[in-house]
Amino acid sequence: MTFPVIGMVGGGQLARMTHEAGIPLGVKFKLLSDAPTDSAAQVAGDVVVGDYRDLDTLRRFAQGCDVITFDHEHVPTEHLHALEADGIPVRPGPRALVHAQDKGVMRARLTEIGAPCPRHRIVSDPADVARFAAEGEGFPVVLKTVRGGYDGKGVWIVRSAADAVEPFRAGVPVLAEEKVAFARELAANVVRSPHGQAVAYPVVESIQVDGVCDTVIAPAPGLDPKLSTHAQQLALKIAEELDVIGHLAVELFEVRTGDGSGDGTKVLVNELAMRPHNSGHWTQDGAITSQFANHVRAVLDLPLGDPRPRVRWTVMANVLGGDYPDMYAAYLHCMARDPGLKIHMYGKDVKPGRKVGHVNTYGDDLADVRERASHAAGYLRGTITE
Amino acid sequence: MTFPVIGMVGGGQLARMTHEAGIPLGVKFKLLSDAPTDSAAQVAGDVVVGDYRDLDTLRRFAQGCDVITFDHEHVPTEHLHALEADGIPVRPGPRALVHAQDKGVMRARLTEIGAPCPRHRIVSDPADVARFAAEGEGFPVVLKTVRGGYDGKGVWIVRSAADAVEPFRAGVPVLAEEKVAFARELAANVVRSPHGQAVAYPVVESIQVDGVCDTVIAPAPGLDPKLSTHAQQLALKIAEELDVIGHLAVELFEVRTGDGSGDGTKVLVNELAMRPHNSGHWTQDGAITSQFANHVRAVLDLPLGDPRPRVRWTVMANVLGGDYPDMYAAYLHCMARDPGLKIHMYGKDVKPGRKVGHVNTYGDDLADVRERASHAAGYLRGTITE
């Protein structure tokens, strides 16, 4: 058999679930993990413990891998170029991945290809932030370090120039963006292979709490079918123009057009992620082919699987760590309450606010499906006790 | 977190798929495997390579496990008693498992609890086989060594006393059974927990070719609903009476009653398996909770998951090794032909006739679902080339 070896950099839950999805596909999975206790390292057989920031470590890891892919976007771009120069297929490649690593590069490129974005520009200091505000609707303004942020980290909402000192401390270029008064957040997820085959998942609604994804509803309820198709086409276009291989999540703001009196909505691109993404976890139980299986298929240039939903509604709710460290009793309770609940635990120690798992529920009645997901997530966290 | 450790004995595909199902459940999985290249050992992190026939090996393996369960029935019954005496929960326990290990014990106990069986008795030599034949409808007679057989091995169909010499050579007691003129084979699969909670999957039709399971159709087409319920109740009763913990497959013959002119059918118990079973592989893609996930939940005494089907029809077809060792090109072709095909490969080297994977297909049109499964299985084996 010549079933190939995938090398995945990063031992988080995305790698854990990618390994899970690769088992039935019969592919070999090799992991580069920071620690032997990391989420994915607990469940995979072929684990190298090492630092992805060290090129020699990456090079040794890549030996015997047919392709390298990623649990996160933190591998230095220059290391990825070095691996490519060594002849190792890197998917997504560094020329694509830089758009998910550097928000400045991402905004410039999206603007170039005509993808709708919030008003934005690189700013040099707090006074420049004030000028950026004055160029548009004024404060508040969103500031982001171009590299290193996720889940609300590296992002500030500032209400004045005096408020805008902190983001410049790290010495990383800072991107200013208008604070979009969005109606809601959406995500358009697609998967693309080196052949150029691509599939689009249904557009989903993503509900954030304190800057962290809380709930995803698939498909986005009440979304105008034309806007849905437009968002899918936009994501496919971004994947093609940026030459993304694997899963691409395009996080979107849905905003009202015109005077806001209901004459329509449009989308603006918020963020890109070039790996399996939290907004696609619903596909494990709600789609014919999960984002993880399709990511594996894409990076190996295998034909992609059907992305269509299996059921009318699927809801994903993240399980965050709460105040008590042992979730097992709550887990047992949730299984007893709802025999159709799909729990996905990451094997992580519980810390308050840390994502330690998610649940999926599905069915025909959206209110019921949402209630089941949010009850289970709340019960596991400890915010619901009955 | 106090998520428990499951120790599974045996590194075959059932362990591989149990590990896969345990990943989202967040439980720890420890494997005792004959070789580091075994199907499950390729994909699991915590693997002990050793001989399950050696009690010291089993005892060392069991340290740190919260429960011991099995990929196969071959662990000597006395070793399981020894582990239990050490205080290790063994699920299913030796008093249950002996009924899946020893066909003589199984027939005696099933008869005792009133489960319908083919006519049978232990026979001592070829002349006794002739007497057994004469007590009923005559030859042919089915002979089985009471221990050690599976997939047609350890089973003979004999047409005369002269034909019946071979089964007695091994020195293992031999069970004679009438050769049942069955209409078809069914399987009633249930899962039971130490709490006594139990769930029943839909009764499926199992189509054997050369003594090996070829295709499973869920649910069994055209099965009388009363007989279906009866078969589920029978399997639940066997699980309870034999104190089975985990997944129990009850393989059944469906036979015509009366004069065969169509006035009804009944079931007879063929075999028992106390582990995830080939007749339950369809549940991975066709049921709300797979047999593997429910086996994990049961042996940990967690509440069981919903066993109901997600779709009208699911068909499983086994992928057997064919004449060419590299299946990857065929695998790619199958994915391209059918984006909804669910392939499950076991990571095994291809040998002619060896089970190296299976495919699941599902949908509303049974003829189409069957064609897709059988085409993919045939193409992977190499018996279909277009």
Side-chain angles (χ1 to χ4, degrees), chain A residues 240-301:
Chain A
E240 186 183 350
E241 293 281 355
L242 275 52
D243 196 19
V244 179
I245 304 301
H247 189 269
L248 169 70
V250 180
E251 294 185 83
L252 299 163
F253 295 126
E254 183 178 12
V255 294
R256 292 192 180 81
T257 53
D259 63 0
S261 63
D263 50 343
T265 60
K266 63 176 183 178
V267 292
L268 300 175
V269 177
N270 180 17
E271 303 274 2
L272 304 182
M274 297 184 189
R275 49 172 172 75
H277 188 256
N278 205 164
S279 63
H281 288 357
W282 71 274
T283 60
Q284 293 175 301
D285 299 298
I288 294 173
T289 312
S290 80
Q291 65 165 346
F292 299 101
N294 261 339
H295 185 77
V296 168
R297 289 163 78 141
V299 301
L300 293 173
D301 207 10

Coordinates of all heavy atoms in Angstrom, one line a residue, chain A residues 240-301:
Chain A
E240 N -9.1 30.6 -4.5 CA -8.4 30.4 -5.8 C -7.3 31.5 -5.9 O -6.2 31.2 -6.3 CB -9.4 30.5 -6.9 CG -8.8 30.2 -8.2 CD -9.8 30.4 -9.4 OE1 -11.0 30.5 -9.1 OE2 -9.3 30.4 -10.5
E241 N -7.7 32.8 -5.7 CA -6.8 33.9 -5.9 C -5.5 33.8 -5.0 O -4.4 34.2 -5.4 CB -7.5 35.2 -5.7 CG -8.6 35.6 -6.7 CD -8.0 36.1 -8.0 OE1 -6.8 36.3 -8.1 OE2 -8.8 36.3 -8.9
L242 N -5.8 33.3 -3.8 CA -4.7 33.2 -2.8 C -4.0 31.9 -2.9 O -3.0 31.6 -2.2 CB -5.2 33.5 -1.4 CG -5.2 35.0 -1.0 CD1 -6.0 35.8 -1.9 CD2 -5.8 35.1 0.4
D243 N -4.5 31.0 -3.8 CA -4.0 29.6 -3.9 C -3.9 28.8 -2.6 O -3.0 28.2 -2.3 CB -2.6 29.7 -4.6 CG -2.2 28.3 -5.1 OD1 -3.0 27.4 -5.4 OD2 -0.9 28.1 -5.3
V244 N -5.1 28.9 -1.9 CA -5.2 28.2 -0.7 C -5.4 26.7 -1.0 O -6.2 26.3 -1.8 CB -6.4 28.7 0.2 CG1 -6.6 27.9 1.5 CG2 -6.3 30.2 0.4
I245 N -4.7 25.8 -0.3 CA -4.9 24.4 -0.3 C -5.4 23.9 1.0 O -4.7 24.3 2.0 CB -3.6 23.6 -0.7 CG1 -3.1 24.2 -2.1 CG2 -3.9 22.1 -0.8 CD1 -4.0 24.1 -3.2
G246 N -6.4 23.2 1.1 CA -7.0 22.8 2.4 C -8.2 23.6 2.7 O -8.9 24.2 1.8
H247 N -8.5 23.6 4.0 CA -9.7 24.3 4.5 C -9.5 25.8 4.6 O -8.5 26.2 5.2 CB -10.2 23.7 5.8 CG -11.5 24.2 6.3 ND1 -11.6 25.3 7.1 CD2 -12.8 23.7 6.0 CE1 -12.9 25.5 7.4 NE2 -13.6 24.5 6.7
L248 N -10.4 26.6 4.1 CA -10.3 28.0 4.3 C -11.6 28.5 5.0 O -12.7 28.3 4.4 CB -10.2 28.7 2.9 CG -10.4 30.3 3.0 CD1 -9.2 31.0 3.7 CD2 -10.5 30.8 1.5
A249 N -11.5 29.2 6.1 CA -12.6 29.8 6.8 C -12.6 31.3 6.5 O -11.5 31.9 6.7 CB -12.6 29.5 8.3
V250 N -13.6 31.8 5.9 CA -13.7 33.2 5.6 C -14.8 33.8 6.6 O -16.0 33.5 6.5 CB -14.1 33.5 4.2 CG1 -14.2 35.0 4.0 CG2 -13.1 32.9 3.2
E251 N -14.3 34.4 7.7 CA -15.2 35.0 8.7 C -15.7 36.3 8.1 O -14.9 37.2 7.6 CB -14.5 35.2 10.0 CG -14.0 33.9 10.6 CD -13.4 34.1 12.0 OE1 -14.1 34.2 13.0 OE2 -12.1 34.1 12.0
L252 N -17.0 36.5 8.2 CA -17.7 37.6 7.6 C -18.5 38.4 8.5 O -19.1 37.9 9.5 CB -18.6 37.1 6.5 CG -18.0 36.3 5.3 CD1 -19.0 35.5 4.5 CD2 -17.2 37.3 4.4
F253 N -18.6 39.7 8.3 CA -19.7 40.5 8.9 C -20.8 40.6 8.0 O -20.6 41.0 6.8 CB -19.1 41.9 9.2 CG -18.0 42.0 10.2 CD1 -16.8 42.6 9.9 CD2 -18.1 41.5 11.5 CE1 -15.8 42.7 10.8 CE2 -17.1 41.6 12.4 CZ -15.9 42.2 12.1
E254 N -22.0 40.4 8.5 CA -23.2 40.7 7.7 C -23.7 42.1 8.1 O -23.9 42.3 9.3 CB -24.3 39.7 7.9 CG -25.5 40.0 7.0 CD -26.7 39.0 7.1 OE1 -26.7 38.1 8.0 OE2 -27.6 39.0 6.3
V255 N -23.7 43.0 7.2 CA -24.1 44.4 7.6 C -25.3 44.9 6.7 O -25.5 44.5 5.6 CB -22.9 45.4 7.4 CG1 -21.8 45.1 8.3 CG2 -22.4 45.4 5.9
R256 N -26.1 45.7 7.3 CA -27.2 46.3 6.6 C -26.8 47.3 5.6 O -25.8 48.1 5.9 CB -28.2 46.9 7.6 CG -28.9 45.9 8.5 CD -30.1 46.4 9.2 NE -30.6 45.3 10.0 CZ -30.1 44.9 11.2 NH1 -29.1 45.6 11.7 NH2 -30.6 43.9 11.8
T257 N -27.4 47.3 4.4 CA -27.0 48.3 3.4 C -28.0 49.4 3.5 O -29.1 49.3 4.2 CB -27.1 47.7 2.0 OG1 -28.4 47.0 1.9 CG2 -26.0 46.6 1.8
G258 N -27.7 50.5 2.8 CA -28.6 51.7 2.8 C -28.8 52.3 4.2 O -27.9 52.4 5.0
D259 N -30.0 52.7 4.5 CA -30.3 53.4 5.7 C -30.5 52.5 6.9 O -30.9 53.0 8.0 CB -31.4 54.4 5.5 CG -32.7 53.7 5.2 OD1 -32.7 52.4 5.2 OD2 -33.7 54.3 5.0
G260 N -30.4 51.2 6.7 CA -30.6 50.3 7.9 C -32.0 50.0 8.1 O -32.3 49.3 9.1
S261 N -32.9 50.4 7.2 CA -34.4 50.2 7.5 C -34.8 48.8 6.9 O -36.0 48.6 6.7 CB -35.2 51.3 6.9 OG -35.0 51.4 5.5
G262 N -33.8 48.0 6.5 CA -34.2 46.7 6.1 C -34.2 46.5 4.6 O -34.8 45.5 4.1
D263 N -33.5 47.3 3.9 CA -33.5 47.2 2.4 C -32.4 46.2 1.9 O -32.1 46.2 0.7 CB -33.3 48.5 1.7 CG -32.2 49.4 2.3 OD1 -31.7 49.0 3.4 OD2 -31.8 50.3 1.6
G264 N -31.8 45.4 2.8 CA -30.9 44.4 2.4 C -29.6 44.4 3.2 O -29.4 45.3 4.0
T265 N -28.8 43.4 3.0 CA -27.6 43.2 3.7 C -26.5 42.9 2.7 O -26.7 42.4 1.6 CB -27.7 42.2 4.8 OG1 -28.0 40.9 4.2 CG2 -28.7 42.5 5.9
K266 N -25.2 43.1 3.2 CA -24.1 42.6 2.4 C -23.1 42.0 3.3 O -23.3 42.1 4.6 CB -23.5 43.8 1.6 CG -22.9 44.9 2.5 CD -22.3 46.0 1.8 CE -21.7 47.1 2.7 NZ -21.0 48.2 2.1
V267 N -22.0 41.5 2.8 CA -21.0 40.9 3.7 C -19.6 41.7 3.5 O -19.3 42.2 2.4 CB -20.8 39.4 3.5 CG1 -22.0 38.6 3.9 CG2 -20.4 39.1 2.0
L268 N -18.9 41.8 4.6 CA -17.5 42.3 4.6 C -16.6 41.2 5.2 O -17.0 40.5 6.1 CB -17.4 43.5 5.5 CG -18.2 44.7 5.1 CD1 -18.1 45.8 6.1 CD2 -17.8 45.2 3.7
V269 N -15.4 41.0 4.7 CA -14.5 40.0 5.2 C -13.9 40.5 6.5 O -13.3 41.5 6.5 CB -13.4 39.6 4.2 CG1 -12.5 38.6 4.8 CG2 -14.0 39.1 2.9
N270 N -14.0 39.7 7.5 CA -13.4 40.0 8.8 C -12.0 39.3 8.9 O -11.0 40.0 8.9 CB -14.3 39.5 9.9 CG -13.7 39.8 11.3 OD1 -12.8 40.6 11.5 ND2 -14.3 39.1 12.3
E271 N -12.0 38.0 8.9 CA -10.7 37.3 9.1 C -10.6 36.1 8.1 O -11.7 35.6 7.7 CB -10.5 36.7 10.5 CG -10.6 37.7 11.6 CD -9.3 38.4 11.9 OE1 -8.3 38.1 11.3 OE2 -9.3 39.2 12.9
L272 N -9.4 35.6 7.9 CA -9.2 34.3 7.2 C -8.5 33.3 8.1 O -7.6 33.7 8.8 CB -8.4 34.5 5.9 CG -8.8 35.6 4.9 CD1 -7.8 35.6 3.7 CD2 -10.2 35.3 4.4
A273 N -8.9 32.1 8.0 CA -8.1 31.0 8.6 C -7.9 29.9 7.6 O -8.8 29.5 7.0 CB -8.8 30.5 9.9
M274 N -6.6 29.5 7.5 CA -6.3 28.4 6.5 C -6.0 27.1 7.2 O -4.8 26.7 7.2 CB -5.2 28.9 5.6 CG -5.6 30.2 4.8 SD -4.3 30.7 3.7 CE -5.0 32.3 3.2
R275 N -7.0 26.5 7.7 CA -6.9 25.3 8.5 C -8.3 25.0 8.9 O -9.2 25.8 8.7 CB -6.0 25.5 9.7 CG -6.4 26.7 10.5 CD -5.8 26.9 11.8 NE -6.1 28.2 12.4 CZ -7.2 28.5 13.0 NH1 -8.2 27.7 13.0 NH2 -7.4 29.7 13.5
P276 N -8.6 23.7 9.4 CA -9.9 23.5 10.0 C -10.2 24.6 11.0 O -9.3 25.1 11.7 CB -9.8 22.1 10.6 CG -8.7 21.4 9.9 CD -7.7 22.5 9.5
H277 N -11.5 24.9 11.1 CA -11.8 26.1 11.9 C -13.0 25.9 12.8 O -13.9 25.1 12.4 CB -12.1 27.3 10.9 CG -12.3 28.6 11.6 ND1 -13.5 29.2 11.7 CD2 -11.4 29.5 12.1 CE1 -13.4 30.4 12.3 NE2 -12.1 30.6 12.6
N278 N -13.1 26.5 13.9 CA -14.2 26.4 14.9 C -15.5 26.5 14.2 O -16.5 25.9 14.6 CB -14.0 27.5 16.0 CG -14.6 27.1 17.3 OD1 -14.3 27.7 18.3 ND2 -15.5 26.2 17.4
S279 N -15.6 27.4 13.2 CA -16.9 27.6 12.5 C -17.3 26.4 11.7 O -18.4 26.4 11.1 CB -16.9 28.9 11.7 OG -15.9 28.8 10.7
G280 N -16.4 25.4 11.5 CA -16.7 24.2 10.8 C -16.8 23.0 11.6 O -17.0 21.9 11.0
H281 N -16.8 23.1 12.9 CA -16.9 21.9 13.8 C -18.2 21.2 13.6 O -18.3 20.0 13.8 CB -16.7 22.2 15.2 CG -15.2 22.6 15.6 ND1 -14.2 22.5 14.7 CD2 -14.7 23.0 16.8 CE1 -13.1 22.9 15.3 NE2 -13.3 23.2 16.5
W282 N -19.3 21.9 13.3 CA -20.6 21.4 13.1 C -20.6 20.3 12.0 O -21.4 19.3 12.0 CB -21.6 22.4 12.7 CG -21.4 23.0 11.3 CD1 -20.5 24.0 10.9 CD2 -22.0 22.5 10.1 NE1 -20.6 24.2 9.6 CE2 -21.5 23.3 9.0 CE3 -22.9 21.5 9.8 CZ2 -21.8 23.1 7.7 CZ3 -23.3 21.3 8.5 CH2 -22.7 22.1 7.4
T283 N -19.6 20.4 11.1 CA -19.6 19.4 9.9 C -19.3 18.0 10.4 O -19.6 17.0 9.7 CB -18.6 19.8 8.9 OG1 -17.3 19.8 9.5 CG2 -18.9 21.2 8.3
Q284 N -18.7 17.8 11.6 CA -18.4 16.5 12.0 C -19.7 15.6 12.2 O -19.6 14.4 11.9 CB -17.7 16.5 13.4 CG -16.4 17.1 13.4 CD -15.8 17.3 14.8 OE1 -16.4 18.0 15.6 NE2 -14.7 16.7 15.1
D285 N -20.7 16.2 12.6 CA -22.0 15.5 12.8 C -23.1 15.9 11.9 O -24.1 15.3 11.8 CB -22.4 15.6 14.2 CG -21.4 15.1 15.2 OD1 -21.1 13.8 15.1 OD2 -20.8 15.8 16.0
G286 N -22.9 17.1 11.2 CA -24.0 17.7 10.4 C -23.8 17.6 8.9 O -24.7 17.9 8.2
A287 N -22.6 17.3 8.4 CA -22.4 17.3 7.0 C -22.0 15.9 6.5 O -21.5 15.1 7.3 CB -21.2 18.3 6.6
I288 N -22.1 15.7 5.2 CA -21.8 14.4 4.7 C -20.3 14.1 4.9 O -19.9 13.0 5.3 CB -22.2 14.3 3.2 CG1 -23.7 14.3 3.1 CG2 -21.7 13.0 2.6 CD1 -24.3 14.4 1.7
T289 N -19.5 15.2 4.6 CA -18.0 15.0 4.8 C -17.6 16.2 5.8 O -17.9 17.3 5.5 CB -17.3 15.2 3.5 OG1 -17.9 14.4 2.5 CG2 -15.8 14.8 3.6
S290 N -16.8 15.8 6.8 CA -16.4 16.9 7.8 C -15.3 17.7 7.2 O -14.6 17.3 6.3 CB -16.0 16.2 9.1 OG -14.6 15.8 8.9
Q291 N -15.2 18.9 7.8 CA -14.1 19.8 7.4 C -12.7 19.1 7.6 O -11.8 19.3 6.8 CB -14.1 21.1 8.1 CG -13.9 21.0 9.6 CD -13.5 22.3 10.3 OE1 -13.3 23.3 9.7 NE2 -13.6 22.3 11.6
F292 N -12.6 18.3 8.6 CA -11.3 17.6 8.9 C -11.0 16.6 7.8 O -9.9 16.5 7.3 CB -11.4 17.0 10.3 CG -11.6 18.0 11.4 CD1 -12.9 18.1 11.9 CD2 -10.6 18.8 11.8 CE1 -13.1 19.0 13.0 CE2 -10.8 19.7 12.8 CZ -12.0 19.9 13.4
A293 N -12.0 15.8 7.4 CA -11.8 14.8 6.4 C -11.5 15.5 5.1 O -10.6 15.1 4.3 CB -13.0 13.9 6.2
N294 N -12.2 16.6 4.8 CA -11.9 17.3 3.5 C -10.6 18.0 3.5 O -9.9 18.1 2.5 CB -13.1 18.2 3.2 CG -14.0 17.6 2.1 OD1 -13.7 16.7 1.4 ND2 -15.2 18.1 2.1
H295 N -10.2 18.5 4.7 CA -8.8 19.1 4.8 C -7.8 18.0 4.4 O -6.8 18.3 3.7 CB -8.6 19.7 6.1 CG -7.3 20.4 6.2 ND1 -7.1 21.7 5.7 CD2 -6.1 20.0 6.8 CE1 -5.8 22.0 5.9 NE2 -5.2 21.1 6.6
V296 N -7.9 16.8 5.0 CA -7.0 15.7 4.7 C -7.0 15.4 3.3 O -5.9 15.2 2.6 CB -7.4 14.5 5.6 CG1 -6.6 13.2 5.1 CG2 -7.1 14.7 7.0
R297 N -8.2 15.2 2.7 CA -8.3 14.9 1.3 C -7.7 16.0 0.4 O -7.0 15.7 -0.6 CB -9.8 14.7 0.9 CG -10.3 13.4 1.5 CD -11.8 13.3 1.6 NE -12.4 12.9 0.3 CZ -13.5 12.1 0.1 NH1 -14.0 11.5 1.2 NH2 -13.9 11.8 -1.0
A298 N -7.9 17.2 0.8 CA -7.3 18.3 0.0 C -5.8 18.4 0.0 O -5.2 18.5 -1.0 CB -7.9 19.7 0.5
V299 N -5.2 18.3 1.2 CA -3.8 18.4 1.2 C -3.1 17.2 0.6 O -1.9 17.3 0.2 CB -3.2 18.7 2.7 CG1 -3.9 20.0 3.2 CG2 -3.4 17.5 3.6
L300 N -3.8 16.1 0.5 CA -3.2 14.9 -0.2 C -3.6 14.9 -1.7 O -3.3 14.0 -2.4 CB -3.7 13.6 0.4 CG -3.2 13.4 1.8 CD1 -3.8 12.2 2.5 CD2 -1.7 13.2 1.8
D301 N -4.3 15.9 -2.2 CA -4.8 16.0 -3.5 C -5.7 14.8 -3.9 O -5.7 14.3 -5.0 CB -3.7 16.2 -4.5 CG -4.2 16.9 -5.8 OD1 -5.3 17.4 -5.8 OD2 -3.4 16.9 -6.8

